[in-house]
Amino acid sequence: MSTTPLSLILSRLQQLAAATGRPAAQLLAVSKTQPAASVAALAAQGQRAFGENYVQEALAKIAELADLSLEWHLIGHLQSNKAELAASHFDWVHSVDRDKLVDALARYRPAAATPLNVLIQVNIDDEHSKHGCTPSQVMPLAARIAAQPRLRLRGLMAIPAAHEDPQLSLPAFQAMAALQRQLQASYPQADTLSMGMSADYPQAVSAGATLVRVGSALFGARPGKTAPAPAHN
Ligand SMILES: *Cc1c(COP(=O)(O)O)cnc(C)c1O
């Protein structure tokens, strides 16, 4: 069997699972800025779940690859005016951080679709520049989500501050794991903790991540990484 970035990361996740005694974390392939052909190539190797940051960019890929029945996760900040598109085309939204967004996603999730899987994004390092709610806002937001039949509360997501040494992210990852245990005590369906990226996913998994979001380690450096941020989110 040839080794690919995908097979290497999957075997690393297996090793980490053996070391922690927990089930292997799920791998979300972050395909932002990657062309549909790159997504199709990874899908041909068996990868099903893909993460996108920008609604507009994702819609084109979702349409182009509709035949592959992939699972699409929105992991970027979501403006309320894009909630209808997100609720109609994604399977998961990781970036729910305010009441207004909960209400909009619930309102627009099509009745014919399965409930939208929702994660609450927590700004665990309290960085002014980042999105996400505060830890104290998690339980009220969870109650609002759980009351919506068109939404399914699945857990928490975080993007802790990046550090040169990934070990320095451990306290933030551990704080998220503690929050998720609290949440799951009230909402057993909240079984997902989304955290860890290419540079720090082993640390995230050792702290309790159940889903890691990996882009550059899978696809290589992003094309257009030095280009200005897309105008549409
Ligand atoms: C881009 C991105 C990732 C993946 O980052 P890599 O460093 O390329 O693995 C994960 N999560 C979010 C929210 C992202 O925006």
Side-chain angles (χ1 to χ4, degrees):
M1 229 177 74
S2 68
T3 39
T4 60
L6 176 62
S7 67
L8 287 173
I9 292 167
L10 290 176
S11 60
R12 185 87 181 97
L13 291 174
Q14 291 293 343
Q15 287 166 8
L16 289 161
T20 57
R22 289 188 292 263
Q26 197 200 338
L27 176 62
L28 181 66
V30 175
S31 47
K32 63 173 175 232
T33 79
Q34 302 291 344
S38 300
V39 173
L42 211 56
Q45 295 173 43
Q47 178 66 26
R48 309 309 310 162
F50 290 85
E52 289 280 340
N53 288 60
Y54 310 106
V55 171
Q56 227 59 271
E57 177 194 338
L59 291 186
K61 287 182 229 180
I62 293 172
E64 189 170 341
L65 301 171
D67 288 351
L68 299 181
S69 309
L70 302 175
E71 184 179 284
W72 293 97
H73 296 229
L74 182 65
I75 62 174
H77 175 65
L78 178 57
Q79 295 167 356
S80 299
N81 63 1
K82 297 274 166 62
E84 181 171 7
L85 286 172
S88 309
H89 296 280
F90 284 86
D91 302 295
W92 288 69
V93 175
H94 290 220
S95 48
V96 174
D97 60 1
R98 57 201 191 277
D99 288 350
K100 192 179 169 194
L101 198 49
V102 173
D103 299 348
L105 290 170
R107 171 162 173 225
Y108 290 120
R109 180 64 169 177
T114 54
L116 180 67
N117 294 293
V118 161
L119 300 179
I120 298 172
Q121 183 176 355
V122 182
N123 186 354
I124 195 66
D125 286 323
D126 191 23
E127 291 179 279
H128 291 304
S129 61
K130 286 216 183 124
H131 299 290
C133 70
T134 65
S136 66
Q137 289 167 331
V138 166
M139 291 309 280
L141 260 177
R144 200 173 184 101
I145 294 164
Q148 293 289 353
R150 303 309 305 139
L151 305 181
R152 186 158 173 82
L153 175 67
R154 294 300 298 271
L156 302 179
M157 180 271 219
I159 313 170
H163 297 283
E164 198 80 38
D165 175 2
Q167 288 298 120
L168 297 178
S169 298
L170 262 181
F173 290 144
Q174 287 161 346
M176 284 301 301
L179 261 183
Q180 201 245 340
R181 281 194 297 274
Q182 267 175 39
L183 177 69
Q184 206 177 8
S186 301
Y187 303 97
Q189 73 273 31
D191 55 3
T192 303
L193 180 54
S194 163
M195 59 185 191
M197 321 203 303
S198 293
D200 57 12
Y201 75 85
Q203 286 76 21
V205 169
S206 67
T210 68
L211 180 154
V212 296
R213 307 179 308 264
V214 178
S216 45
L218 265 177
F219 289 102
R222 276 182 280 283
K225 211 178 172 182
T226 55
H232 295 288
N233 188 19

